[in-house]
Amino acid sequence: MEFEGIFVKALGGLLDVGSRAAMATVGHEAIVEAYRKRGHEVADIDDIGKLELCEMDKVRPNLGLAYTAVATVEGAAAGFAVSGGEIVAAGGSVFGAGVGGAPGIGTVVGVMAADAAVVLVAANRAVAHIAAYYGYDVDHPDERLFALGVLSVGTAAEASKATAYIELNKLVQALARRATWDQLRQNAVTRVVEKVFTRLGYRITQRKLGQAVPVFGTVIGAGMNAHLLSSVTHDANHIYRERFLRDHYGLAHEPLATPSMNETDVVDVAELLHEEIAKEDGRPTDGGDGERS
C-alpha cells in the first residue's frame, strides 16, 4: 500500500466531522454580544454586515494570535512524536514506501494524519470565526463553500497563492450564477468538504515530512503549524475585508484570468462542486461550469 493510501485510511472521517464540531463552537451569540456592547443594534450575524468597516475594526479581536499559539503547541507535540525514530528507520523515505518498509510506519503516518487533521480543523474554525466578525455565517451551504476557498488560499504555498485566489474568484462567480440553491444539496456539500480537506491534509503532510528529523522535528512541527495558521488567519482577514467592502458598496467580483492547471498546490473548490452536483443530477462530470441543463 502506498503512503497516500495509508494516509487517507488513517485520516478517515476526522476532517469533516471535526470541522463541523469546530465550526459549531464558534460562539455567534458571543460575537453578536460583543457588537451590542459597542452600542450596535444587531440581532444575529447577518446584521453585522449592515455596519461600517470602521465599526467592525473596533470590535474584532486579533484572532490570528490565539489560533497560531494553539497550532504551535500541537505541531511541537506531533513533531516530537514523529521524530522518535520510526521514520528514520525507513531511511527518510515515506512517500512510496510500503507498509512493511519499516517497523512503526503505520504509527508515523497515523500521527502525521492526525496532526494534519487537527491543523486543518483549527484553520477551518479560524476562517469561520473571522467570517462571523464580518457578518458571514458559514452554517449556510454557500458560505461554507466560500470558506473552503478561503482555506485553500490560506494553506497554499506562497508561489501558488495567486492561483488559489483566482480559483476563489471563480468559485464566487459560480455561486453567484445560481438562481436557486435547490441543487446545492447538503450531501453534495459534504462530499466537496471531504475531498478538499483530504487533498489539503495530504499536501500539508507532504510539507511536514521535515518533522521526521530527530530533535529538529519538534521545532519544525511547531514552526510549520504556526506559519500555516498565521497565513490562514492573515489571508482570511484580507479576503473577508475585501468581500465585505464589495458587498457593502455593490462592487462586482470581476472574473480573473484562468490559472495554470499545473499548480498542484491549489484545490479547485468550484470544479469539485460542479462535479458533485453533476453526479446528483445524473450528468457526466465533464469539467464544465455546472450551468448546463
Side-chain angles (χ1 to χ4, degrees):
M1 184 185 294
E2 299 296 324
F3 176 83
E4 184 172 3
I6 307 173
F7 172 81
V8 172
K9 182 178 179 180
L11 198 63
L14 286 175
L15 288 175
D16 185 55
V17 174
S19 69
R20 285 179 178 276
M23 288 191 298
T25 63
V26 173
H28 286 183
E29 273 303 318
I31 294 173
V32 169
E33 184 60 28
Y35 277 97
R36 287 174 180 163
K37 287 181 178 179
R38 285 281 185 171
H40 303 296
E41 296 182 1
V42 293
D44 52 36
I45 293 297
D46 292 336
D47 287 340
I48 295 174
K50 301 173 185 177
L51 303 176
E52 297 294 334
L53 185 60
C54 60
E55 296 173 320
M56 293 180 177
D57 288 340
K58 295 176 182 178
V59 178
R60 185 178 49 81
N62 187 345
L63 297 173
L65 291 177
Y67 281 101
T68 300
V70 172
T72 300
V73 174
E74 194 284 328
F80 179 79
V82 172
S83 62
E86 293 96 335
I87 215 167
V88 176
S93 178
V94 179
F95 287 89
V99 175
I105 189 70
T107 301
V108 172
V109 174
V111 171
M112 297 179 82
D115 180 43
V118 169
V119 170
L120 275 176
V121 166
N124 189 59
R125 187 185 191 279
V127 171
H129 206 168
I130 291 170
Y133 270 101
Y134 283 101
Y136 298 101
D137 186 353
V138 298
D139 285 339
H140 302 317
D142 55 334
E143 291 299 337
R144 193 174 189 205
L145 290 170
F146 183 85
L148 282 180
V150 175
L151 187 62
S152 180
V153 175
T155 56
E158 288 301 321
S160 302
K161 282 194 181 293
T163 298
Y165 183 79
I166 292 173
E167 293 293 357
L168 176 62
N169 186 273
K170 186 171 76 173
L171 176 62
V172 171
Q173 299 295 323
L175 296 177
R177 281 198 299 270
R178 295 199 172 279
T180 175
W181 282 100
D182 290 342
Q183 288 182 284
L184 196 57
R185 304 174 184 92
Q186 185 57 55
N187 55 343
V189 174
T190 298
R191 288 197 299 270
V192 172
V193 171
E194 291 174 347
K195 288 183 177 180
V196 171
F197 278 8
T198 298
R199 294 184 187 185
L200 289 178
Y202 181 60
R203 290 169 189 176
I204 288 172
T205 302
Q206 285 180 306
R207 297 180 204 166
K208 291 167 73 68
L209 277 178
Q211 289 182 354
V213 181
V215 181
F216 291 108
T218 303
V219 177
I220 295 173
M224 290 191 69
N225 280 11
H227 176 74
L228 183 67
L229 263 295
S230 177
S231 176
V232 168
T233 53
H234 175 273
D235 289 344
N237 186 60
H238 172 78
I239 290 170
Y240 277 107
R241 279 179 83 83
E242 177 188 354
R243 185 181 176 197
F244 168 78
L245 289 172
R246 287 183 180 278
D247 291 345
H248 195 64
Y249 295 104
L251 304 175
H253 289 261
E254 296 296 331
L256 301 177
T258 301
S260 168
M261 287 295 95
N262 292 325
E263 292 282 2
T264 59
D265 194 47
V266 176
V267 177
D268 190 341
V269 180
E271 192 66 30
L272 290 175
L273 173 61
H274 295 323
E275 289 177 3
E276 292 303 327
I277 291 178
K279 287 178 184 177
E280 292 211 339
D281 292 343
R283 293 182 284 111
T285 55
D286 57 3
D289 64 1
E291 297 300 306
R292 293 184 293 275
S293 57

